[in-house]
Amino acid sequence: EIKYFEDALKNPEKPFAAILGGSKVSDKIGVIENLLEKVDTLVIVGAMANTFLKSKGLEVGKSLVEDDKLDLAREMMAKAAENHVELILPKDVIVAPEVSEDAKGTLKDVEDVDEDDMILDIGSESLKDIEGSLEKAKTIVLNGPCGVFEIEEFSHGTIELAKILAKLDATVIVGGGDSVAAVEKSRSS
């Protein structure tokens, strides 16, 4: 997997986009910094996006956030702007009071998240935004899910993103165990 990534990332066909999800910015700091030197578009989803949203002053409620990485998230956004990288964060999200099989999700704009909400997936406007940004991409790297895809109520964003990627005329590289599991799950949906 690493060798394939290295080869594809050395000289990717442009426009080049990366979609990073999962839970921790700290796990992917090096990847983000490296990608900001190479990509045309960087999409941040999953719980990782919560840290970026909070760093912009938005309420993220009880969502998973790395408070010690808020300054780093702001630095990454500034570096993206300096490098003319289109940085895409969720516009709307699916929230619930808790992560559980019984939880019911509610669609909200990111500006409308309450202090009792947990962001658990991305919404339909976010998916449209991502799809529009990826239309011209020739190389796309996906690493990490859009939400808590293991729970059906919060798997829609990840599954729909996989379907979007499957329709594009681009080389799509999927890395990471969660991403591969999510793509497999999307095949059965």
Side-chain angles (χ1 to χ4, degrees):
E1 185 179 280
I2 291 169
K3 174 85 172 101
Y4 188 68
F5 263 114
E6 283 176 3
D7 291 346
L9 297 179
K10 276 182 190 163
N11 193 19
E13 188 177 355
K14 296 270 194 168
F16 177 29
I19 305 163
L20 298 179
S23 57
K24 292 185 175 179
V25 174
S26 57
D27 289 348
K28 297 186 178 158
I29 292 169
V31 174
I32 295 171
E33 288 179 335
N34 188 3
L35 287 171
L36 285 173
E37 302 287 331
K38 298 178 178 175
V39 297
D40 301 292
T41 304
L42 179 60
V43 179
I44 306 228
V45 292
M48 205 163 72
N50 301 339
T51 301
F52 282 81
L53 294 171
K54 186 171 182 179
S55 78
K56 291 177 69 169
L58 293 168
E59 175 66 59
V60 294
K62 301 183 296 184
S63 307
L64 183 60
V65 171
E66 289 180 280
D67 285 317
D68 63 329
K69 301 293 183 234
L70 295 175
D71 286 340
L72 180 66
R74 283 188 279 274
E75 287 172 28
M76 298 289 177
M77 289 187 284
K79 186 172 182 180
E82 283 171 28
N83 291 354
H84 307 288
V85 172
E86 179 185 23
L87 180 67
I88 298 175
L89 296 170
K91 289 183 173 177
D92 60 347
V93 291
I94 306 297
V95 300
E98 63 184 7
V99 179
S100 77
E101 291 284 343
D102 302 326
K104 293 293 173 221
T106 302
L107 179 66
K108 289 189 174 186
D109 287 337
V110 292
E111 292 86 9
D112 298 331
V113 173
D114 293 321
E115 61 185 26
D116 293 330
D117 290 332
M118 287 184 84
I119 299 171
L120 301 173
D121 199 4
I122 61 172
S124 55
E125 288 303 312
S126 297
L127 284 162
K128 284 182 199 167
D129 193 30
I130 293 167
E131 184 173 21
S133 295
L134 298 178
E135 281 177 342
K136 293 185 173 105
K138 290 296 177 193
T139 307
I140 302 169
V141 172
L142 169 64
N143 187 287
C146 298
V148 185
F149 75 96
E150 301 88 349
I151 297 175
E152 189 172 340
E153 182 79 4
F154 311 113
S155 65
H156 180 77
T158 301
I159 291 169
E160 289 305 308
L161 179 60
K163 291 177 181 177
I164 288 167
L165 294 175
K167 291 188 290 187
L168 296 173
D169 181 25
T171 299
V172 179
I173 302 161
V174 180
D178 283 347
S179 298
V180 173
V183 169
E184 290 298 324
K185 184 173 183 173
S186 75
R187 286 187 179 152
S188 61
S189 296

